[in-house]
Amino acid sequence: MAHPPLAPGWIDAPHQIVSLGRFPLESGEVIDDLRISYVVHGSLDDRSRPVIFGVCSIGSTHHRLDFLIGVGRALDPSRFTIVVIDALGNGLSSSPSNSQTQSGERFPRFTIRDMVTSQRVLASYLRIDAVAAIVGASMGGMQALQWGVSYPDFARSLVALVPMPKTTPWSQAINHAGRLALANARELPTAEARWETWTTLMSVLARSPSRLAADVAANQDVNNDTVAWLLACARSMAAQQSDPLDWIYQSYAYDAHDVGASTGFGGDTQKALASIRARTLVAVPSLDLYNPIESGIWAAEQIERCELIRLPFHSGHLVASEAEPQAAAQLNDRIGRFLSYEEPTL
């Protein structure tokens, strides 16, 4: 389970891996030897600080939330112990690319609820019975909402950035296009070539048109050449040494997601969201070409104690990342204040 090379802005902290044995999935299939990778910012030996779980977006690692972590930021290790957990299928936790006994397409398909259940198993292993918050962006935000449905008393607060409670047909279509791009490229000779079509699609849809134009113009190395900029994106993705099959498997989980399919809700997404007891923060941009903002806004309206942030930026899905400095600063401020809230005593 090789860690990808550190990228600018990532926090250099050692990741840990634990083996947790046979893990039954929702489908009835089993992961032979569940392995979960995670990073701790702070120390779990110091139980005086509240614990926060961070969860990952599709195709990302525990570095996905590094823009929120650090002294003076929302997830401050001097105030909290932050455990960021690698999701099933991301190449660090159990995945098609790294399984010793179920490698490649022999690996069983999993769901976002399976991701959350595996994280609950890790929590038990770490002797964590409750956390102050669960924080995630994109698929991480989807996991955060699922945590609130599946384990309503585990987290005091949820922070779901650019989430969906149920994957929209639009997002499913994008993922299908991404899978086709990767499937058709598997025989190409270089990693850059294998990722080029996929990165072209996802680099465009992770942004708004104005943000894409700004990013191309800002990269002096490509001389305002959009195709050259897209090729640079492909080189960057290839440098992370990701396995395309891992993203494909995570995309299947993404497509199938609906909190309403959780046990006890009979497919009723609204009822499932209404069951969330944790204080919840949902943030959406002005436009999102991957996870439509209408889905996140609707989710916020169904959760009883939910604050909705409409981020006034034009970076699209990218808004919940280090790539949008102004939005990152606003999110650090708003999330920090949200997590500092103390429940009134009766």
Side-chain angles (χ1 to χ4, degrees):
M1 295 187 182
H3 190 288
L6 286 174
W10 285 6
I11 300 171
D12 188 7
H15 75 276
Q16 304 178 60
I17 299 173
V18 295
S19 293
L20 298 169
R22 284 173 59 82
F23 179 67
L25 301 169
E26 278 193 322
S27 64
E29 294 189 86
V30 173
I31 294 176
D32 289 343
D33 180 14
L34 175 66
R35 291 165 65 84
I36 298 294
S37 163
Y38 64 98
V39 160
V40 180
H41 298 271
S43 174
L44 285 172
D45 293 331
D46 180 2
R47 297 287 170 153
S48 66
R49 292 192 179 111
V51 174
I52 289 177
F53 276 1
V55 286
C56 298
S57 59
I58 186 170
S60 76
T61 69
H62 51 263
H63 291 292
R64 177 62 177 82
L65 298 176
D66 282 359
F67 78 104
L68 297 175
I69 299 171
V71 175
R73 295 184 178 183
L75 309 184
D76 189 334
S78 68
R79 297 176 54 212
F80 306 104
T81 298
I82 302 109
V83 181
V84 190
I85 308 170
D86 287 299
L88 291 177
N90 81 335
L92 294 178
S93 289
S94 289
S95 307
S97 67
N98 62 32
S99 175
Q100 296 299 306
T101 61
Q102 299 167 291
S103 62
E105 294 181 357
R106 294 175 57 209
F107 199 81
R109 291 194 190 181
F110 48 83
T111 66
I112 285 180
R113 265 182 303 282
D114 289 325
M115 294 177 188
V116 168
T117 303
S118 73
Q119 293 156 12
R120 185 64 184 89
V121 172
L122 175 67
S124 296
Y125 172 85
L126 298 175
R127 294 182 293 109
I128 297 172
D129 299 321
V131 296
I134 296 170
V135 181
S138 188
M139 190 181 77
M142 294 156 75
Q143 289 168 77
L145 295 180
Q146 185 63 57
W147 263 102
V149 173
S150 295
Y151 303 100
D153 298 316
F154 186 81
R156 186 168 69 242
S157 300
L158 306 173
V159 177
L161 310 179
V162 294
M164 294 182 293
K166 178 180 180 179
T167 304
T168 65
W170 175 270
S171 305
Q172 291 168 343
I174 292 170
N175 282 341
H176 183 60
R179 287 191 294 269
L180 291 175
L182 293 175
N184 291 336
R186 291 177 74 177
E187 303 305 318
L188 294 176
T190 66
E192 180 182 329
R194 287 192 290 274
W195 284 105
E196 183 181 352
T197 303
W198 182 91
T199 52
T200 296
L201 173 72
M202 301 308 292
S203 295
V204 168
L205 293 174
R207 292 163 170 80
S208 67
S210 59
R211 176 58 192 252
L212 179 67
D215 283 351
V216 172
N219 189 330
Q220 296 178 353
D221 294 337
V222 302
N223 195 27
N224 213 31
D225 184 329
T226 302
V227 173
W229 180 82
L230 291 167
L231 288 171
C233 291
R235 285 193 295 273
S236 177
M237 186 65 192
Q240 294 305 308
Q241 302 171 11
S242 300
D243 188 309
L245 190 59
D246 290 341
W247 186 89
I248 288 171
Y249 265 64
Q250 285 198 330
S251 75
Y252 287 135
Y254 205 104
D255 283 359
H257 186 59
D258 179 1
V259 294
S262 306
T263 301
F265 297 101
D268 190 331
T269 309
Q270 184 176 24
K271 182 179 177 182
L273 290 169
S275 75
I276 293 175
R277 295 200 280 268
R279 292 179 60 247
T280 303
L281 181 70
V282 170
V284 298
S286 56
L287 173 70
D288 191 333
L289 296 176
Y290 191 22
N291 287 1
I293 65 169
E294 294 82 5
S295 184
I297 293 168
W298 181 80
E301 293 170 347
Q302 312 312 311
I303 300 169
E304 182 177 357
R305 296 195 299 160
C306 187
E307 177 183 344
L308 174 67
I309 301 175
R310 302 286 294 267
L311 295 164
F313 303 102
H314 300 284
S315 290
H317 198 67
L318 207 64
V319 77
S321 74
E322 73 285 351
E324 171 55 276
Q326 288 182 300
Q330 182 169 325
L331 284 171
N332 270 288
D333 176 65
R334 295 291 294 273
I335 295 169
R337 287 189 281 124
F338 178 77
L339 295 178
S340 296
Y341 174 82
E342 294 290 340
E343 295 277 9
T345 56
L346 299 178

PDB file of all heavy atoms in Angstrom, residues 107-129:
ATOM      1  N   PHE A 107     -12.142  -8.399  -6.543  1.00  0.00           N
ATOM      2  CA  PHE A 107     -12.509  -7.665  -5.328  1.00  0.00           C
ATOM      3  C   PHE A 107     -14.016  -7.411  -5.348  1.00  0.00           C
ATOM      4  O   PHE A 107     -14.573  -7.016  -6.369  1.00  0.00           O
ATOM      5  CB  PHE A 107     -11.763  -6.332  -5.272  1.00  0.00           C
ATOM      6  CG  PHE A 107     -11.718  -5.718  -3.899  1.00  0.00           C
ATOM      7  CD1 PHE A 107     -10.794  -6.144  -2.967  1.00  0.00           C
ATOM      8  CD2 PHE A 107     -12.603  -4.708  -3.543  1.00  0.00           C
ATOM      9  CE1 PHE A 107     -10.739  -5.581  -1.699  1.00  0.00           C
ATOM     10  CE2 PHE A 107     -12.563  -4.138  -2.282  1.00  0.00           C
ATOM     11  CZ  PHE A 107     -11.630  -4.577  -1.356  1.00  0.00           C
ATOM     12  N   PRO A 108     -14.698  -7.633  -4.215  1.00  0.00           N
ATOM     13  CA  PRO A 108     -16.161  -7.425  -4.204  1.00  0.00           C
ATOM     14  C   PRO A 108     -16.521  -5.944  -4.236  1.00  0.00           C
ATOM     15  O   PRO A 108     -15.799  -5.108  -3.692  1.00  0.00           O
ATOM     16  CB  PRO A 108     -16.594  -8.058  -2.870  1.00  0.00           C
ATOM     17  CG  PRO A 108     -15.375  -7.963  -1.993  1.00  0.00           C
ATOM     18  CD  PRO A 108     -14.199  -8.131  -2.913  1.00  0.00           C
ATOM     19  N   ARG A 109     -17.625  -5.639  -4.893  1.00  0.00           N
ATOM     20  CA  ARG A 109     -18.100  -4.258  -4.890  1.00  0.00           C
ATOM     21  C   ARG A 109     -18.636  -3.902  -3.501  1.00  0.00           C
ATOM     22  O   ARG A 109     -19.188  -4.747  -2.793  1.00  0.00           O
ATOM     23  CB  ARG A 109     -19.168  -4.053  -5.951  1.00  0.00           C
ATOM     24  CG  ARG A 109     -18.615  -4.145  -7.367  1.00  0.00           C
ATOM     25  CD  ARG A 109     -19.630  -3.607  -8.350  1.00  0.00           C
ATOM     26  NE  ARG A 109     -19.239  -3.890  -9.727  1.00  0.00           N
ATOM     27  CZ  ARG A 109     -19.925  -3.515 -10.781  1.00  0.00           C
ATOM     28  NH1 ARG A 109     -21.067  -2.846 -10.616  1.00  0.00           N
ATOM     29  NH2 ARG A 109     -19.510  -3.814 -12.000  1.00  0.00           N
ATOM     30  N   PHE A 110     -18.498  -2.645  -3.160  1.00  0.00           N
ATOM     31  CA  PHE A 110     -18.888  -2.154  -1.833  1.00  0.00           C
ATOM     32  C   PHE A 110     -19.725  -0.894  -2.010  1.00  0.00           C
ATOM     33  O   PHE A 110     -19.825  -0.344  -3.113  1.00  0.00           O
ATOM     34  CB  PHE A 110     -17.645  -1.863  -0.979  1.00  0.00           C
ATOM     35  CG  PHE A 110     -16.605  -1.048  -1.703  1.00  0.00           C
ATOM     36  CD1 PHE A 110     -16.699   0.342  -1.768  1.00  0.00           C
ATOM     37  CD2 PHE A 110     -15.538  -1.673  -2.350  1.00  0.00           C
ATOM     38  CE1 PHE A 110     -15.768   1.093  -2.465  1.00  0.00           C
ATOM     39  CE2 PHE A 110     -14.597  -0.924  -3.043  1.00  0.00           C
ATOM     40  CZ  PHE A 110     -14.710   0.460  -3.100  1.00  0.00           C
ATOM     41  N   THR A 111     -20.309  -0.429  -0.929  1.00  0.00           N
ATOM     42  CA  THR A 111     -21.150   0.760  -0.944  1.00  0.00           C
ATOM     43  C   THR A 111     -20.554   1.832  -0.029  1.00  0.00           C
ATOM     44  O   THR A 111     -19.623   1.573   0.740  1.00  0.00           O
ATOM     45  CB  THR A 111     -22.572   0.449  -0.454  1.00  0.00           C
ATOM     46  OG1 THR A 111     -22.504   0.080   0.943  1.00  0.00           O
ATOM     47  CG2 THR A 111     -23.197  -0.693  -1.245  1.00  0.00           C
ATOM     48  N   ILE A 112     -21.123   3.026  -0.086  1.00  0.00           N
ATOM     49  CA  ILE A 112     -20.709   4.074   0.843  1.00  0.00           C
ATOM     50  C   ILE A 112     -21.078   3.686   2.268  1.00  0.00           C
ATOM     51  O   ILE A 112     -20.338   3.975   3.212  1.00  0.00           O
ATOM     52  CB  ILE A 112     -21.307   5.431   0.425  1.00  0.00           C
ATOM     53  CG1 ILE A 112     -20.542   5.959  -0.807  1.00  0.00           C
ATOM     54  CG2 ILE A 112     -21.262   6.443   1.563  1.00  0.00           C
ATOM     55  CD1 ILE A 112     -21.019   7.281  -1.344  1.00  0.00           C
ATOM     56  N   ARG A 113     -22.204   2.973   2.444  1.00  0.00           N
ATOM     57  CA  ARG A 113     -22.509   2.491   3.798  1.00  0.00           C
ATOM     58  C   ARG A 113     -21.465   1.495   4.270  1.00  0.00           C
ATOM     59  O   ARG A 113     -21.125   1.464   5.458  1.00  0.00           O
ATOM     60  CB  ARG A 113     -23.914   1.860   3.843  1.00  0.00           C
ATOM     61  CG  ARG A 113     -24.984   2.826   4.296  1.00  0.00           C
ATOM     62  CD  ARG A 113     -26.354   2.158   4.381  1.00  0.00           C
ATOM     63  NE  ARG A 113     -26.732   1.584   3.101  1.00  0.00           N
ATOM     64  CZ  ARG A 113     -27.204   2.305   2.077  1.00  0.00           C
ATOM     65  NH1 ARG A 113     -27.353   3.597   2.195  1.00  0.00           N
ATOM     66  NH2 ARG A 113     -27.528   1.722   0.943  1.00  0.00           N
ATOM     67  N   ASP A 114     -20.934   0.663   3.369  1.00  0.00           N
ATOM     68  CA  ASP A 114     -19.845  -0.239   3.748  1.00  0.00           C
ATOM     69  C   ASP A 114     -18.618   0.557   4.189  1.00  0.00           C
ATOM     70  O   ASP A 114     -17.918   0.166   5.134  1.00  0.00           O
ATOM     71  CB  ASP A 114     -19.470  -1.148   2.576  1.00  0.00           C
ATOM     72  CG  ASP A 114     -20.517  -2.204   2.274  1.00  0.00           C
ATOM     73  OD1 ASP A 114     -21.152  -2.706   3.217  1.00  0.00           O
ATOM     74  OD2 ASP A 114     -20.700  -2.526   1.080  1.00  0.00           O
ATOM     75  N   MET A 115     -18.338   1.658   3.491  1.00  0.00           N
ATOM     76  CA  MET A 115     -17.226   2.513   3.922  1.00  0.00           C
ATOM     77  C   MET A 115     -17.435   2.975   5.360  1.00  0.00           C
ATOM     78  O   MET A 115     -16.532   2.900   6.204  1.00  0.00           O
ATOM     79  CB  MET A 115     -17.117   3.743   3.016  1.00  0.00           C
ATOM     80  CG  MET A 115     -16.736   3.461   1.581  1.00  0.00           C
ATOM     81  SD  MET A 115     -16.731   5.023   0.616  1.00  0.00           S
ATOM     82  CE  MET A 115     -16.486   4.374  -1.040  1.00  0.00           C
ATOM     83  N   VAL A 116     -18.642   3.476   5.646  1.00  0.00           N
ATOM     84  CA  VAL A 116     -18.946   3.990   6.976  1.00  0.00           C
ATOM     85  C   VAL A 116     -18.876   2.872   8.018  1.00  0.00           C
ATOM     86  O   VAL A 116     -18.322   3.056   9.111  1.00  0.00           O
ATOM     87  CB  VAL A 116     -20.327   4.678   6.976  1.00  0.00           C
ATOM     88  CG1 VAL A 116     -20.812   4.959   8.386  1.00  0.00           C
ATOM     89  CG2 VAL A 116     -20.261   5.966   6.160  1.00  0.00           C
ATOM     90  N   THR A 117     -19.413   1.702   7.684  1.00  0.00           N
ATOM     91  CA  THR A 117     -19.355   0.580   8.627  1.00  0.00           C
ATOM     92  C   THR A 117     -17.911   0.182   8.919  1.00  0.00           C
ATOM     93  O   THR A 117     -17.548  -0.104  10.066  1.00  0.00           O
ATOM     94  CB  THR A 117     -20.134  -0.623   8.072  1.00  0.00           C
ATOM     95  OG1 THR A 117     -21.483  -0.235   7.810  1.00  0.00           O
ATOM     96  CG2 THR A 117     -20.134  -1.778   9.065  1.00  0.00           C
ATOM     97  N   SER A 118     -17.056   0.185   7.884  1.00  0.00           N
ATOM     98  CA  SER A 118     -15.648  -0.149   8.106  1.00  0.00           C
ATOM     99  C   SER A 118     -14.985   0.884   9.010  1.00  0.00           C
ATOM    100  O   SER A 118     -14.119   0.544   9.837  1.00  0.00           O
ATOM    101  CB  SER A 118     -14.906  -0.241   6.766  1.00  0.00           C
ATOM    102  OG  SER A 118     -14.693   1.032   6.179  1.00  0.00           O
ATOM    103  N   GLN A 119     -15.389   2.145   8.892  1.00  0.00           N
ATOM    104  CA  GLN A 119     -14.847   3.187   9.757  1.00  0.00           C
ATOM    105  C   GLN A 119     -15.334   3.011  11.197  1.00  0.00           C
ATOM    106  O   GLN A 119     -14.588   3.284  12.151  1.00  0.00           O
ATOM    107  CB  GLN A 119     -15.241   4.554   9.204  1.00  0.00           C
ATOM    108  CG  GLN A 119     -14.589   4.864   7.867  1.00  0.00           C
ATOM    109  CD  GLN A 119     -15.342   5.880   7.033  1.00  0.00           C
ATOM    110  OE1 GLN A 119     -16.257   6.552   7.520  1.00  0.00           O
ATOM    111  NE2 GLN A 119     -14.994   5.984   5.758  1.00  0.00           N
ATOM    112  N   ARG A 120     -16.563   2.520  11.346  1.00  0.00           N
ATOM    113  CA  ARG A 120     -17.071   2.243  12.705  1.00  0.00           C
ATOM    114  C   ARG A 120     -16.297   1.085  13.334  1.00  0.00           C
ATOM    115  O   ARG A 120     -16.022   1.101  14.547  1.00  0.00           O
ATOM    116  CB  ARG A 120     -18.570   1.913  12.654  1.00  0.00           C
ATOM    117  CG  ARG A 120     -19.202   1.743  14.041  1.00  0.00           C
ATOM    118  CD  ARG A 120     -19.154   3.039  14.815  1.00  0.00           C
ATOM    119  NE  ARG A 120     -19.654   2.916  16.181  1.00  0.00           N
ATOM    120  CZ  ARG A 120     -18.901   2.587  17.228  1.00  0.00           C
ATOM    121  NH1 ARG A 120     -17.617   2.296  17.067  1.00  0.00           N
ATOM    122  NH2 ARG A 120     -19.428   2.534  18.434  1.00  0.00           N
ATOM    123  N   VAL A 121     -15.931   0.090  12.514  1.00  0.00           N
ATOM    124  CA  VAL A 121     -15.101  -1.013  13.007  1.00  0.00           C
ATOM    125  C   VAL A 121     -13.743  -0.484  13.468  1.00  0.00           C
ATOM    126  O   VAL A 121     -13.220  -0.873  14.516  1.00  0.00           O
ATOM    127  CB  VAL A 121     -14.934  -2.090  11.914  1.00  0.00           C
ATOM    128  CG1 VAL A 121     -13.908  -3.140  12.342  1.00  0.00           C
ATOM    129  CG2 VAL A 121     -16.272  -2.757  11.613  1.00  0.00           C
ATOM    130  N   LEU A 122     -13.165   0.434  12.678  1.00  0.00           N
ATOM    131  CA  LEU A 122     -11.896   1.041  13.085  1.00  0.00           C
ATOM    132  C   LEU A 122     -12.060   1.808  14.390  1.00  0.00           C
ATOM    133  O   LEU A 122     -11.185   1.733  15.273  1.00  0.00           O
ATOM    134  CB  LEU A 122     -11.396   1.987  11.990  1.00  0.00           C
ATOM    135  CG  LEU A 122     -10.134   2.781  12.342  1.00  0.00           C
ATOM    136  CD1 LEU A 122      -8.933   1.851  12.478  1.00  0.00           C
ATOM    137  CD2 LEU A 122      -9.864   3.871  11.312  1.00  0.00           C
ATOM    138  N   ALA A 123     -13.157   2.537  14.546  1.00  0.00           N
ATOM    139  CA  ALA A 123     -13.387   3.285  15.778  1.00  0.00           C
ATOM    140  C   ALA A 123     -13.384   2.354  16.989  1.00  0.00           C
ATOM    141  O   ALA A 123     -12.795   2.669  18.039  1.00  0.00           O
ATOM    142  CB  ALA A 123     -14.711   4.044  15.698  1.00  0.00           C
ATOM    143  N   SER A 124     -14.033   1.199  16.857  1.00  0.00           N
ATOM    144  CA  SER A 124     -14.034   0.230  17.953  1.00  0.00           C
ATOM    145  C   SER A 124     -12.623  -0.258  18.247  1.00  0.00           C
ATOM    146  O   SER A 124     -12.227  -0.398  19.415  1.00  0.00           O
ATOM    147  CB  SER A 124     -14.946  -0.947  17.614  1.00  0.00           C
ATOM    148  OG  SER A 124     -16.289  -0.520  17.495  1.00  0.00           O
ATOM    149  N   TYR A 125     -11.860  -0.528  17.186  1.00  0.00           N
ATOM    150  CA  TYR A 125     -10.473  -0.967  17.358  1.00  0.00           C
ATOM    151  C   TYR A 125      -9.652   0.092  18.107  1.00  0.00           C
ATOM    152  O   TYR A 125      -8.803  -0.247  18.950  1.00  0.00           O
ATOM    153  CB  TYR A 125      -9.863  -1.247  15.990  1.00  0.00           C
ATOM    154  CG  TYR A 125      -8.389  -1.534  16.015  1.00  0.00           C
ATOM    155  CD1 TYR A 125      -7.909  -2.823  16.268  1.00  0.00           C
ATOM    156  CD2 TYR A 125      -7.456  -0.512  15.785  1.00  0.00           C
ATOM    157  CE1 TYR A 125      -6.544  -3.083  16.305  1.00  0.00           C
ATOM    158  CE2 TYR A 125      -6.093  -0.764  15.818  1.00  0.00           C
ATOM    159  CZ  TYR A 125      -5.643  -2.047  16.079  1.00  0.00           C
ATOM    160  OH  TYR A 125      -4.292  -2.300  16.118  1.00  0.00           O
ATOM    161  N   LEU A 126      -9.915   1.364  17.803  1.00  0.00           N
ATOM    162  CA  LEU A 126      -9.184   2.464  18.443  1.00  0.00           C
ATOM    163  C   LEU A 126      -9.787   2.859  19.791  1.00  0.00           C
ATOM    164  O   LEU A 126      -9.305   3.798  20.425  1.00  0.00           O
ATOM    165  CB  LEU A 126      -9.160   3.686  17.513  1.00  0.00           C
ATOM    166  CG  LEU A 126      -8.445   3.502  16.171  1.00  0.00           C
ATOM    167  CD1 LEU A 126      -8.613   4.750  15.309  1.00  0.00           C
ATOM    168  CD2 LEU A 126      -6.972   3.188  16.369  1.00  0.00           C
ATOM    169  N   ARG A 127     -10.842   2.154  20.208  1.00  0.00           N
ATOM    170  CA  ARG A 127     -11.541   2.426  21.476  1.00  0.00           C
ATOM    171  C   ARG A 127     -12.106   3.847  21.506  1.00  0.00           C
ATOM    172  O   ARG A 127     -12.012   4.555  22.496  1.00  0.00           O
ATOM    173  CB  ARG A 127     -10.616   2.177  22.667  1.00  0.00           C
ATOM    174  CG  ARG A 127     -10.221   0.713  22.820  1.00  0.00           C
ATOM    175  CD  ARG A 127      -9.352   0.432  24.022  1.00  0.00           C
ATOM    176  NE  ARG A 127      -8.038   1.058  23.893  1.00  0.00           N
ATOM    177  CZ  ARG A 127      -7.625   2.093  24.591  1.00  0.00           C
ATOM    178  NH1 ARG A 127      -8.421   2.661  25.487  1.00  0.00           N
ATOM    179  NH2 ARG A 127      -6.421   2.585  24.415  1.00  0.00           N
ATOM    180  N   ILE A 128     -12.716   4.227  20.397  1.00  0.00           N
ATOM    181  CA  ILE A 128     -13.398   5.520  20.297  1.00  0.00           C
ATOM    182  C   ILE A 128     -14.895   5.247  20.249  1.00  0.00           C
ATOM    183  O   ILE A 128     -15.398   4.625  19.322  1.00  0.00           O
ATOM    184  CB  ILE A 128     -12.948   6.285  19.035  1.00  0.00           C
ATOM    185  CG1 ILE A 128     -11.456   6.610  19.119  1.00  0.00           C
ATOM    186  CG2 ILE A 128     -13.771   7.556  18.859  1.00  0.00           C
ATOM    187  CD1 ILE A 128     -10.879   7.188  17.843  1.00  0.00           C
ATOM    188  N   ASP A 129     -15.609   5.695  21.266  1.00  0.00           N
ATOM    189  CA  ASP A 129     -17.044   5.443  21.367  1.00  0.00           C
ATOM    190  C   ASP A 129     -17.899   6.573  20.806  1.00  0.00           C
ATOM    191  O   ASP A 129     -19.083   6.375  20.517  1.00  0.00           O
ATOM    192  CB  ASP A 129     -17.431   5.203  22.829  1.00  0.00           C
ATOM    193  CG  ASP A 129     -16.731   3.994  23.419  1.00  0.00           C
ATOM    194  OD1 ASP A 129     -16.582   2.984  22.700  1.00  0.00           O
ATOM    195  OD2 ASP A 129     -16.318   4.063  24.596  1.00  0.00           O
TER     196      ASP A 129
END
